[in-house]
Amino acid sequence: MLSVQEAEKLIFDAVQAIKEIEIVKLEDCRDRILAASISSKLDFPHWDNSAMDGYAVRFEDVQAPVTLEIIEEIPAGYQPRKTIQPGQAARILTGSMMPNGADTIVMQEETNREGDRVLILTPPRDRGMFVRYQGAYRKAGDALLAPRIVLKAPEIAILAAAQCVEIPVFRRPRVAILSTGSELVSPNQPLQPGQIVDSNQYALEALVAEMGAEVIAIGIIQDDPNALETAIAQAIQSADVVISSGGVSVGDYDYVDRILEKLGAKIQIRAIAVKPGKPLTFATFANSTLYFGLPGNPASALVTFWRFAQPAIRKRAGLNWELKFVNAITTEDLKSDGKRELYLWGYVAIENHQLQFTPAGGSRLSGNLINLAGTNALGVMEIGETAIQGGSTVKVLLVRL
Ligand code: AMP
Ligand code: MG
């Protein structure tokens, strides 16, 4: 049985970021990863403009309170036609283009307008005040965005401003998801005694979709070696990552590992000293597809997904995949038998400027999915650690990124 650290090294060493590039429209680029440097043909700002509502003046005209003649109104979007001569000014609004001849803006609050004349009450401190100069933020041709940045609202604003409407991004990982077990039924099927509703399929699809990966939903496959082999073989062909739940334990109907071997997989992990989630299969294929065989118990499936599969998929996608461990104060006593690294699902919240961890209430058995609601973090207890007192510090893995 591998330690968590040995297992994660094997997993993350086996994962490479996708390098294929595709073009998406600006309106579809949110959360995608930029695949090339973006530059603009124009300077930013594109032309000298005013940072204030006020008056465009010649600095040397306004060294003392003075009245100037207004020769033009320059609203936003208007190109000034006149040149400011000595004794003249132009009315100007925020963002509007500077007229020729003027070099300084006097803000409206420092003036008094009388018809087509304006009284400058307070001389501006410096030449160029409240002028945003062409190219002051970035010059034409210089990079605005570097490759590998994740496109969120600020980056999308920059792309839009640069009129970049077709964006090169890395292809998203395709993640195939299947549930194994002859006892499983879909949520919309009538439940017979002894059957179990397939919840893992939906939870895993949601987790994968949340990460921005593409979901290939395969659904329930019976504990039948032929059916499983067909389904897994197809999944491996079509996906970057295949995630199954169930069938990786030592039960009579746990076929996944045998089928993976038959299909030519290199099985790198069969068991990890972690709780929940001891039986966990990780395998790689020659075509670089990764296979995670997660345990079937709902809490085990989720915890092992968060701990191992989520960062692996993030690395495959080209995202920052570093696990986010933080210290938090536990609100309750935490206990472990100390034999395996224990992950307690629960939630962290900020209380009095401090992170606080509250473990899920009720039964913490891995078959109990009911108390998973609200989980955003996993409290970690190392091997050998048997008790952490309420009010003291616990290491916590943030799982909602
Ligand atoms: P297994 O790992 O296949 O031995 O499954 C362990 C336990 O998890 C069994 O009680 C299964 O019925 C349950 N289980 C397996 N797959 C799922 C699933 N997709 N949804 C909910 N429970 C499951
Ligand atoms: Mg099973």
Side-chain angles (χ1 to χ4, degrees), residues 178-181 183-185 194-202 204 220 223 245-251 253-254 279 294-298 301 366-367 369:
L178 61 128
S179 296
T180 76
E183 76 280 26
L184 300 177
V185 295
Q195 293 186 322
I196 286 186
V197 180
D198 174 15
S199 57
N200 290 347
Q201 180 71 27
Y202 302 90
L204 293 169
I220 300 169
D223 289 320
S245 67
V248 290
S249 198
V250 291
Y253 303 100
D254 293 334
L294 305 182
N297 273 314
S366 50
L369 59 74

Side-chain angles (χ1 to χ4, degrees), residues 9-24:
K9 181 161 175 24
L10 277 173
I11 293 170
F12 301 142
D13 283 354
V15 184
Q16 298 297 325
I18 290 171
K19 302 223 164 54
E20 293 141 81
I21 295 172
E22 57 192 33
I23 304 292
V24 293

Side-chain angles (χ1 to χ4, degrees), residues 55 70-75 78 80 89-93 113 115-116:
Y55 294 87
I70 298 164
I71 60 159
E72 194 171 27
E73 302 273 334
I74 311 174
Y78 172 87
R91 169 71 173 143
I92 196 164
L93 295 160
R113 173 124 186 207
D116 61 358

